[in-house]
Amino acid sequence: MSHKIAILGASGYTGAELVRIIATHPGMDIVALSGDRKAGQPMESVFPHLRHLDLPDLVRIEEIDFSGVDLAFCALPHATSQAVIKGLPGDLRVVDLSADFRLRDPAAYERWYGKPHGAPELQEEAVYGLTEFYRDDIRAARLVAGTGCNAAAGQFALRPLISAGAVDLDDIIIDLKAGVSGAGRALKENLLHAELSEGFHAYAVGSTHRHLGEFDQEFSALAGRPVQVQFTPHLIPANRGILATVWVKGDPQVIHATLAGAYAAEPFLHVLPMGQAPSTRHVRGSNFAHIGVVGDRRPGRAMVIVAIDNLTKGSSGQAVQNANLMLGLKETEGLMLAPCFP
Amino acid sequence: MSHKIAILGASGYTGAELVRIIATHPGMDIVALSGDRKAGQPMESVFPHLRHLDLPDLVRIEEIDFSGVDLAFCALPHATSQAVIKGLPGDLRVVDLSADFRLRDPAAYERWYGKPHGAPELQEEAVYGLTEFYRDDIRAARLVAGTGCNAAAGQFALRPLISAGAVDLDDIIIDLKAGVSGAGRALKENLLHAELSEGFHAYAVGSTHRHLGEFDQEFSALAGRPVQVQFTPHLIPANRGILATVWVKGDPQVIHATLAGAYAAEPFLHVLPMGQAPSTRHVRGSNFAHIGVVGDRRPGRAMVIVAIDNLTKGSSGQAVQNANLMLGLKETEGLMLAPCFP
Amino acid sequence: MSHKIAILGASGYTGAELVRIIATHPGMDIVALSGDRKAGQPMESVFPHLRHLDLPDLVRIEEIDFSGVDLAFCALPHATSQAVIKGLPGDLRVVDLSADFRLRDPAAYERWYGKPHGAPELQEEAVYGLTEFYRDDIRAARLVAGTGCNAAAGQFALRPLISAGAVDLDDIIIDLKAGVSGAGRALKENLLHAELSEGFHAYAVGSTHRHLGEFDQEFSALAGRPVQVQFTPHLIPANRGILATVWVKGDPQVIHATLAGAYAAEPFLHVLPMGQAPSTRHVRGSNFAHIGVVGDRRPGRAMVIVAIDNLTKGSSGQAVQNANLMLGLKETEGLMLAPCFP
Amino acid sequence: MSHKIAILGASGYTGAELVRIIATHPGMDIVALSGDRKAGQPMESVFPHLRHLDLPDLVRIEEIDFSGVDLAFCALPHATSQAVIKGLPGDLRVVDLSADFRLRDPAAYERWYGKPHGAPELQEEAVYGLTEFYRDDIRAARLVAGTGCNAAAGQFALRPLISAGAVDLDDIIIDLKAGVSGAGRALKENLLHAELSEGFHAYAVGSTHRHLGEFDQEFSALAGRPVQVQFTPHLIPANRGILATVWVKGDPQVIHATLAGAYAAEPFLHVLPMGQAPSTRHVRGSNFAHIGVVGDRRPGRAMVIVAIDNLTKGSSGQAVQNANLMLGLKETEGLMLAPCFP
């Protein structure tokens, strides 16, 4: 039996990525697509690569009859999500891909996002969607908050190490590199091809990137004390991919063994042999994470390097993985697409 | 029931693309992979993006026991294929991705490839693998010769037009643009990133590209008289994709109607509305072809533009499509992967 | 002695390219830069790559004192130019980089640009700025209209051939490929990195590109009869460069000899040996054009391939070349910068 | 008066970059070019972008008459340089771009390069070519050893800080990102466009990159005690550019003031306003370095980010800067080329 799916905000990249994945998912059928500014258009005029699919036209959210919908993915911009989800039927399963429900503490939300939360009761209900660490809660959840794509990459590197006390909590540096699709389909000068290609730079410098809020929340909870990592992202002149180079103090062998042990049974998280480094190109278009651990010539120092596709494992693939759990499907259903290389 | 598959020459890009597609194909299991120079290595050391799959190690061809193999894909270099296939069991189904069996006339083969054919009896047996036009022959074939990737793109534009007499046969220009993966994983200076990226040029100029041999064979047979198109490829600084801009003399409306009619029932060939032009990015990683027809301000002149992914519809996807037919599977099985954009 | 230069519209790519060239030009000093939306900003905040130069801040045009200016480059958007230039001192030398003064016939202007010309008396005065063919007129001109970048590439291929009667005037196809910077620094979805990179497509299909107006004007004048070429541009996923592949009917040897003869003394136009094809990467960032001629297997047919950098030879380099003539400087002054490869 | 220049190893990228710079250098004339495997060829067949220059053909080194040569640039592969330079006239000025003479300690050389040095007396004579810090020595030198490109970037960030004691010497992390041209024109699978583009990864992991030898030598000498930084490079899918993100412990304001003070009079080193981050695209093709300093939310921690072009400031531009000093020319002569953006 196939579950009926609505995608709100289907005219952005994470919306399109959801459709791409669900296109070959045996347990999901798309019954509604919303896209406010493009309402009335067929999906193929917004995303011609989906032309071969028999999809409903884009509509405004209020035009959707949710009575026949089993689960809604909400791929709307930050801040819009909270207003929209508040208005949905209270028993509708929702996977939100925005930042609106990631932070549990209303004060933290206000600090990082600059205004009070508009749906604090939903914020309290929402489960943080890092599947591998919140499986049981997600299975039982009605509302799941997809994680930040950078936040996912950093946590795959660090959660087991923090839990195990394998690294110095006060000296963690996440030097992250992210592909341009993470910024969405926004009309900004710095996202133009002529501005971006053939170059490289850091952005959101000075501890201003909002995913720091997720790191603080999750790492502090794991450690049972405040943890503040250092984190700066850079922009890769490529469309997809996140490489998180995480510099830590700890024993490289212990770090490798801890991660390999923690992820031994995970279908999507692959720890490479000791000393090998992953590449974003080898996870492109897939839900896999490749994780490498490398020692330094200086004892007690190491790098953990994580490669994911920001649109898939970092966003829409994670969302489908969570939806699978919420709908009682096999967690890997529809998600074993092999990476697209070259 | 799943069919047992061997891939000969699995260390090149078309080999890897076969594995990528078969990874989620419900009717095929890979039981053997060969790669002479990399024999003894696990596939993940040659193609780390396939790390999540449970694949056999690469071996030398002579190490493979073909008795349990239902079909072999042969993704070896040109000229190697004919020697290898001659040595395989005579009843083994084979889909060859090289150029070795595309030309039926031994003299034409020798002219384009510079030496006599080494297995003329197989050359005679082989069926030309342009699925949409040779379906019945392919279904009954033991040996199918995959087409050239550029040759496929050009034929999708022109075959129905030539059959219908809709274009002037003496004034056909195929100005083609191809991504770099079409050249394979070869160590050539002109394939280096520093040489290729941020630039654009024509290659194989002066009617020297070997796919002209396929155009000549196929178009002349269709027309019942010699047809010689003009054809020059250019190199796109991108990994995947072919865009064939075909300049023809004929009525644009008739041309569009002819193509739309010919392909109306085809699952992979999509003719865009009149006047729209396709893009390679919208078929990337998929088995689809997008076909556009555009008129000129000068009456009686038109462009037919075809976009395919050279590695998928132009090569490995086509090969799986043919294998599906040969094995009695549904033609689209495993091939409905949506394009990977952005 | 150095000439005083103003650049109007310095916040776009052609403006920046003018500054880049003039930075090492021994005969020009920049005394004013305008940029309406960015007025008040230092140039380095708009173009950080020019940080090392001692440049005036951006101002609004009406703030500039033109009494001390010897020549103004006008790099404003189409349609804006005609209004602005009409308001400049009548004796100020102006090189306009927009499309406003390229077409001499008011009716042709209105047909291609969709509205009547706002300064027909200037339109009449303006000299068409294809330096190699209008040298004497440019030397004496007060107002020079820079050509379209695609129009320049196509004319380098064809003008001598049309003048010499070396090609069939009724069967000329210009299949052109252009880098993305030609579209300017405009906030359009189709110019985003995520939309453009790793793909290829035709645009302005159906004879709608406005540079056709220039081809019609110039080629018809040369031929003494109406000439209508076929012309479609494609977008290269690269920032700079135009490759014009021009398909013609004529004798390849005659074509090569005609072009080699016509350009033998030209400092910037280089005809390659017969049979060689140029590449955009080999002219990047320079004022050079590389021109190749290749025969076809079919007698009497040939390709002329022209590579230029759209921002340099196609626009700002051409503009400086013209300004050199207008100011009595050596034509090549400041323009011998070698291409930047890789 | 123009100085006579020979370039040994002119068929690689640093050789071509030397020619590109010298092409518009008023004080240097190229009189000889060597390229062993390409001896006998005109330079334009090896580097078509230099076609417009009147250059000598490539020859074998032993064919060059050095009696008329004022200075030789040696752009040969590592290890080859020491043998070649030993055989040159003892009074010939030489700027070596290889790694052969960067390390002063023969034991350190052997440790990092795996074999004893072949010309220890030259090793002793050679001056380390980081111009801004060895100006007087370079002016008087006969043999100057160009620095590693990554080593240059890291030192621009750190030398003044180490000298001033402004950062913790035991916690310096250089997370570096380098464009692909730094690997040279070598036929390696991992340098192919299809392997590199659209991806990102770390290489030379585990403290194995040889430029660590330079960091150790220079930083320890400055500090008067052993200093061992952590350093890992990553590969940017772009041809040119190095971005060194240097994570340090120290007061951000002090760090910014120290760098701004140290470089206030430097023509090529530009320290950005506090809190701004540089981009490689803004130094492309130029000899400039852009240096940014950014604080962290955690007090006493900062990032210094340096952007250079690896082929120019990181190699051939630095070499010309040093040659200018050795020949008594103005240090900036020929080097004020503006960056090529976009």
Side-chain angles (χ1 to χ4, degrees):
Chain A
M1 196 209 81
S2 209
H3 295 273
K4 306 270 176 274
I5 302 296
I7 299 175
L8 313 184
S11 61
Y13 292 145
T14 54
E17 184 75 351
L18 285 166
V19 176
R20 181 178 79 89
I21 295 169
I22 296 174
T24 50
H25 191 300
M28 295 187 183
D29 273 339
I30 295 171
V31 297
L33 296 171
S34 90
D36 266 23
R37 275 170 312 171
K38 314 225 169 167
Q41 294 188 31
M43 192 64 169
E44 74 190 47
S45 75
V46 178
F47 286 117
H49 69 293
L50 301 172
R51 167 184 302 279
H52 65 289
L53 297 170
D54 186 23
L55 294 169
D57 286 353
L58 290 162
V59 297
R60 278 175 296 115
I61 292 172
E62 49 272 34
E63 298 176 65
I64 299 177
D65 172 9
F66 285 98
S67 66
V69 173
D70 295 307
L71 185 143
F73 292 101
C74 191
L76 295 164
H78 305 317
T80 309
S81 270
Q82 46 194 268
V84 165
I85 293 177
K86 208 160 55 171
L88 296 179
D91 59 348
L92 179 66
R93 288 187 193 85
V94 176
V95 178
D96 184 39
L97 286 79
S98 84
D100 278 11
F101 299 101
R102 294 172 187 165
L103 300 185
R104 269 181 294 273
D105 175 6
Y109 178 87
E110 187 165 350
R111 199 161 57 246
W112 284 107
Y113 292 91
K115 56 181 167 192
H117 200 285
E121 67 293 352
L122 290 175
Q123 192 185 13
E124 195 170 351
E125 176 193 354
V127 172
Y128 190 66
L130 199 67
T131 328
E132 285 77 5
F133 297 94
Y134 287 92
R135 261 195 193 97
D136 293 340
D137 292 343
I138 292 165
R139 222 173 249 121
R142 190 192 70 82
L143 171 59
V144 169
T147 72
C149 52
N150 301 324
Q155 290 182 69
F156 290 144
L158 285 164
R159 290 187 74 113
L161 305 181
I162 292 174
S163 295
V167 294
D168 182 341
L169 296 177
D170 293 319
D171 254 337
I172 296 172
I173 290 173
I174 303 177
D175 189 299
L176 189 136
K177 300 86 178 173
V180 62
S181 64
R185 211 178 198 182
L187 290 187
K188 297 182 185 162
E189 187 175 281
N190 62 346
L191 298 181
L192 295 175
H193 188 282
E195 300 288 319
L196 265 184
S197 79
E198 278 287 298
F200 196 86
H201 68 281
Y203 66 98
V205 294
S207 310
T208 57
H209 198 289
R210 290 162 166 181
H211 292 183
L212 275 167
E214 292 177 63
F215 287 136
D216 290 356
Q217 167 180 289
E218 297 296 313
F219 293 155
S220 300
L222 282 177
R225 49 152 278 197
V227 175
Q228 284 201 320
V229 302
Q230 294 179 265
F231 161 56
T232 296
H234 301 71
L235 200 52
I236 309 174
N239 288 340
R240 288 172 177 253
I242 289 177
L243 195 87
T245 308
V246 185
W247 299 82
V248 291
K249 292 182 175 165
D251 181 82
Q253 297 292 348
V254 170
I255 288 169
H256 186 262
T258 302
L259 290 169
Y263 297 147
E266 288 297 341
F268 296 118
L269 310 187
H270 293 266
V271 178
L272 311 190
M274 182 72 200
Q276 288 189 16
S279 172
T280 60
R281 60 182 62 77
H282 294 138
V283 295
R284 181 166 55 227
S286 84
N287 204 49
F288 299 104
H290 287 186
I291 303 169
V293 177
V294 180
D296 198 85
R297 58 178 177 167
R298 297 181 61 179
R301 308 207 175 186
M303 293 193 310
V304 183
I305 313 181
V306 175
I308 62 170
D309 184 313
N310 56 298
L311 284 181
T312 321
K313 187 58 176 162
S315 189
S316 301
Q318 181 201 72
V320 171
Q321 194 176 348
N322 289 334
N324 282 342
L325 291 176
M326 296 163 78
L327 293 169
L329 297 168
K330 194 174 164 200
E331 185 177 331
T332 57
E333 199 79 277
L335 289 169
M336 297 306 287
L337 299 168
C340 190
F341 170 86
Chain B
M1 196 209 79
S2 209
H3 295 273
K4 306 269 176 275
I5 302 295
I7 300 175
L8 312 185
S11 59
Y13 291 143
T14 55
E17 183 75 352
L18 284 167
V19 176
R20 180 176 82 88
I21 294 168
I22 296 174
T24 49
H25 191 300
M28 294 187 185
D29 272 340
I30 294 170
V31 297
L33 297 170
S34 90
D36 266 24
R37 277 171 311 174
K38 314 227 169 162
Q41 295 188 31
M43 193 64 170
E44 74 189 45
S45 74
V46 177
F47 285 117
H49 69 293
L50 301 173
R51 166 184 303 279
H52 64 289
L53 297 170
D54 186 24
L55 294 170
D57 287 352
L58 291 161
V59 297
R60 280 176 295 117
I61 292 172
E62 49 272 32
E63 297 177 65
I64 299 177
D65 172 9
F66 285 98
S67 65
V69 173
D70 295 309
L71 183 144
F73 291 101
C74 191
L76 296 163
H78 305 318
T80 310
S81 270
Q82 47 194 265
V84 164
I85 294 177
K86 207 160 58 172
L88 296 179
D91 58 347
L92 178 67
R93 287 186 193 85
V94 175
V95 177
D96 184 39
L97 286 79
S98 82
D100 278 13
F101 300 101
R102 294 171 187 165
L103 300 185
R104 271 183 292 273
D105 175 5
Y109 179 86
E110 188 166 348
R111 200 162 58 245
W112 284 106
Y113 292 90
K115 56 182 168 190
H117 201 285
E121 67 292 352
L122 291 175
Q123 194 185 10
E124 196 171 349
E125 177 193 352
V127 172
Y128 190 66
L130 199 67
T131 327
E132 285 77 6
F133 297 93
Y134 287 92
R135 260 194 193 100
D136 293 340
D137 292 342
I138 292 166
R139 222 173 248 122
R142 191 192 69 82
L143 171 60
V144 169
T147 73
C149 51
N150 301 324
Q155 290 180 69
F156 290 143
L158 287 164
R159 289 186 75 113
L161 305 181
I162 292 175
S163 295
V167 293
D168 181 341
L169 297 178
D170 292 319
D171 254 336
I172 296 172
I173 289 174
I174 303 177
D175 189 299
L176 189 136
K177 300 84 176 174
V180 61
S181 64
R185 211 178 197 180
L187 291 186
K188 296 182 185 161
E189 189 175 280
N190 63 346
L191 299 180
L192 295 175
H193 187 282
E195 300 287 320
L196 266 184
S197 78
E198 280 287 299
F200 195 84
H201 67 281
Y203 66 98
V205 294
S207 310
T208 59
H209 198 289
R210 289 162 164 179
H211 292 182
L212 275 168
E214 293 177 61
F215 287 135
D216 289 357
Q217 168 180 289
E218 297 296 312
F219 293 154
S220 300
L222 282 177
R225 49 152 279 197
V227 175
Q228 282 202 320
V229 302
Q230 293 179 265
F231 161 53
T232 296
H234 302 71
L235 200 52
I236 308 172
N239 289 339
R240 287 171 178 254
I242 289 177
L243 195 87
T245 308
V246 184
W247 299 82
V248 291
K249 291 183 176 165
D251 181 83
Q253 297 291 348
V254 170
I255 288 169
H256 185 262
T258 302
L259 289 168
Y263 298 147
E266 288 297 341
F268 296 118
L269 309 187
H270 293 265
V271 178
L272 311 191
M274 183 71 198
Q276 288 188 15
S279 171
T280 60
R281 62 182 60 77
H282 295 140
V283 296
R284 181 165 55 225
S286 84
N287 204 50
F288 299 103
H290 287 186
I291 302 169
V293 177
V294 180
D296 198 84
R297 58 178 175 166
R298 296 181 62 180
R301 308 206 175 186
M303 293 193 309
V304 184
I305 313 182
V306 175
I308 61 169
D309 183 314
N310 56 299
L311 284 180
T312 321
K313 188 57 176 163
S315 189
S316 301
Q318 180 200 73
V320 171
Q321 194 177 348
N322 289 332
N324 282 342
L325 291 176
M326 295 163 78
L327 293 169
L329 297 168
K330 193 175 165 200
E331 186 177 330
T332 57
E333 197 80 276
L335 289 169
M336 297 305 287
L337 300 168
C340 189
F341 170 85
Chain C
M1 194 210 81
S2 210
H3 295 273
K4 306 270 177 274
I5 302 296
I7 300 175
L8 312 184
S11 60
Y13 292 144
T14 54
E17 183 75 352
L18 284 166
V19 176
R20 180 178 80 88
I21 295 168
I22 296 174
T24 49
H25 190 300
M28 295 186 184
D29 273 338
I30 296 170
V31 297
L33 297 170
S34 90
D36 266 22
R37 276 171 310 172
K38 313 226 170 167
Q41 295 187 32
M43 191 65 169
E44 75 190 44
S45 74
V46 178
F47 286 117
H49 70 292
L50 301 173
R51 168 183 300 281
H52 65 288
L53 296 170
D54 186 24
L55 294 169
D57 286 353
L58 290 162
V59 297
R60 279 176 294 116
I61 292 171
E62 49 271 34
E63 298 176 65
I64 299 176
D65 172 9
F66 286 97
S67 66
V69 174
D70 295 308
L71 184 144
F73 291 101
C74 191
L76 295 163
H78 305 318
T80 310
S81 270
Q82 46 194 269
V84 165
I85 293 177
K86 208 160 55 171
L88 296 179
D91 59 348
L92 179 66
R93 289 186 194 85
V94 175
V95 178
D96 184 39
L97 286 79
S98 83
D100 278 11
F101 300 101
R102 294 171 186 165
L103 300 185
R104 268 182 295 272
D105 175 4
Y109 178 86
E110 188 166 350
R111 199 163 56 245
W112 284 106
Y113 292 91
K115 56 181 167 190
H117 201 285
E121 67 292 352
L122 290 175
Q123 192 186 13
E124 195 171 352
E125 175 193 355
V127 172
Y128 190 65
L130 198 67
T131 328
E132 285 77 5
F133 298 93
Y134 287 92
R135 260 195 193 96
D136 292 340
D137 292 342
I138 292 166
R139 220 173 250 121
R142 189 192 70 83
L143 170 60
V144 169
T147 73
C149 51
N150 301 324
Q155 290 180 69
F156 291 144
L158 286 164
R159 290 187 74 113
L161 305 180
I162 292 174
S163 295
V167 294
D168 181 342
L169 295 178
D170 292 318
D171 254 336
I172 296 172
I173 290 173
I174 303 177
D175 189 299
L176 189 136
K177 299 86 178 175
V180 61
S181 64
R185 211 179 198 181
L187 291 186
K188 296 182 185 162
E189 188 176 279
N190 62 345
L191 299 180
L192 296 176
H193 187 282
E195 300 288 320
L196 265 184
S197 79
E198 278 287 300
F200 195 85
H201 67 281
Y203 66 98
V205 294
S207 310
T208 58
H209 198 290
R210 289 163 166 179
H211 292 183
L212 275 167
E214 293 178 62
F215 287 136
D216 289 356
Q217 168 180 288
E218 297 297 312
F219 293 155
S220 299
L222 282 177
R225 48 152 278 197
V227 175
Q228 283 201 320
V229 301
Q230 293 179 266
F231 160 55
T232 296
H234 302 70
L235 200 53
I236 309 173
N239 288 339
R240 287 171 178 254
I242 289 176
L243 194 88
T245 308
V246 185
W247 299 83
V248 291
K249 292 182 175 164
D251 181 82
Q253 297 292 346
V254 171
I255 287 170
H256 186 262
T258 303
L259 289 168
Y263 297 148
E266 287 299 339
F268 296 118
L269 309 187
H270 293 265
V271 178
L272 311 191
M274 182 72 199
Q276 288 189 15
S279 171
T280 60
R281 61 183 60 78
H282 295 139
V283 295
R284 181 166 54 227
S286 84
N287 204 50
F288 299 103
H290 287 186
I291 302 168
V293 177
V294 180
D296 198 84
R297 59 179 176 166
R298 297 181 62 179
R301 307 208 174 185
M303 293 192 311
V304 183
I305 313 181
V306 174
I308 62 170
D309 184 314
N310 56 298
L311 284 181
T312 321
K313 187 58 175 162
S315 189
S316 302
Q318 180 201 73
V320 171
Q321 193 178 348
N322 289 333
N324 281 342
L325 291 175
M326 295 162 78
L327 293 168
L329 297 168
K330 193 175 165 200
E331 185 177 330
T332 57
E333 199 79 278
L335 289 170
M336 297 305 287
L337 299 168
C340 190
F341 171 87
Chain D
M1 195 209 79
S2 210
H3 295 273
K4 306 270 178 275
I5 301 296
I7 299 175
L8 312 184
S11 60
Y13 292 144
T14 54
E17 183 75 352
L18 284 166
V19 176
R20 180 178 80 90
I21 295 169
I22 296 174
T24 49
H25 191 300
M28 295 187 184
D29 272 339
I30 295 170
V31 297
L33 296 170
S34 91
D36 267 24
R37 276 172 311 174
K38 313 227 169 164
Q41 295 187 31
M43 192 64 170
E44 75 189 45
S45 74
V46 177
F47 285 117
H49 70 293
L50 301 173
R51 167 184 302 279
H52 64 288
L53 297 170
D54 186 23
L55 295 169
D57 286 352
L58 290 162
V59 296
R60 280 176 295 115
I61 292 172
E62 49 271 32
E63 298 176 64
I64 299 177
D65 172 9
F66 285 99
S67 66
V69 174
D70 294 309
L71 184 143
F73 291 100
C74 190
L76 296 163
H78 305 318
T80 310
S81 270
Q82 47 194 267
V84 164
I85 294 177
K86 206 159 60 171
L88 296 178
D91 59 347
L92 179 67
R93 287 186 194 85
V94 176
V95 178
D96 184 39
L97 286 79
S98 83
D100 278 11
F101 300 101
R102 294 170 186 167
L103 301 185
R104 270 182 294 272
D105 175 5
Y109 178 86
E110 189 166 348
R111 200 162 56 244
W112 284 105
Y113 290 91
K115 57 181 169 191
H117 201 285
E121 67 292 352
L122 290 175
Q123 193 186 13
E124 195 170 352
E125 176 193 354
V127 172
Y128 190 67
L130 198 68
T131 327
E132 285 77 5
F133 297 94
Y134 287 92
R135 261 195 192 98
D136 292 340
D137 292 343
I138 291 165
R139 223 173 248 122
R142 190 191 69 83
L143 171 60
V144 169
T147 73
C149 52
N150 301 324
Q155 291 181 69
F156 290 144
L158 285 164
R159 290 187 73 114
L161 305 181
I162 292 174
S163 295
V167 294
D168 182 341
L169 297 178
D170 293 319
D171 254 336
I172 296 171
I173 289 174
I174 304 177
D175 190 299
L176 189 137
K177 299 85 177 174
V180 61
S181 64
R185 211 179 197 180
L187 291 186
K188 296 182 185 161
E189 188 175 281
N190 62 346
L191 300 180
L192 295 176
H193 187 282
E195 300 287 321
L196 265 183
S197 78
E198 279 287 300
F200 196 84
H201 67 281
Y203 66 98
V205 294
S207 309
T208 58
H209 198 289
R210 288 163 165 179
H211 292 182
L212 275 168
E214 292 177 62
F215 287 136
D216 290 355
Q217 168 181 289
E218 296 297 312
F219 293 155
S220 299
L222 281 177
R225 47 152 278 196
V227 175
Q228 282 201 320
V229 301
Q230 294 179 265
F231 160 54
T232 296
H234 302 70
L235 199 53
I236 309 172
N239 288 339
R240 287 171 178 254
I242 289 176
L243 194 87
T245 307
V246 185
W247 298 83
V248 292
K249 292 182 176 165
D251 181 85
Q253 297 293 347
V254 170
I255 287 169
H256 186 261
T258 303
L259 289 169
Y263 298 147
E266 288 298 340
F268 296 118
L269 310 187
H270 293 265
V271 178
L272 312 190
M274 183 72 198
Q276 288 189 15
S279 172
T280 60
R281 62 183 59 77
H282 295 139
V283 296
R284 181 166 56 226
S286 85
N287 205 49
F288 298 105
H290 287 186
I291 302 169
V293 177
V294 180
D296 198 84
R297 58 179 176 165
R298 296 182 61 180
R301 307 205 175 187
M303 293 193 310
V304 184
I305 312 181
V306 175
I308 62 170
D309 183 315
N310 56 299
L311 284 181
T312 321
K313 188 58 176 164
S315 190
S316 302
Q318 180 201 74
V320 171
Q321 195 177 347
N322 288 333
N324 282 342
L325 292 176
M326 295 163 79
L327 293 169
L329 297 168
K330 193 174 164 199
E331 186 177 330
T332 56
E333 198 80 277
L335 290 169
M336 297 306 286
L337 299 168
C340 189
F341 171 88

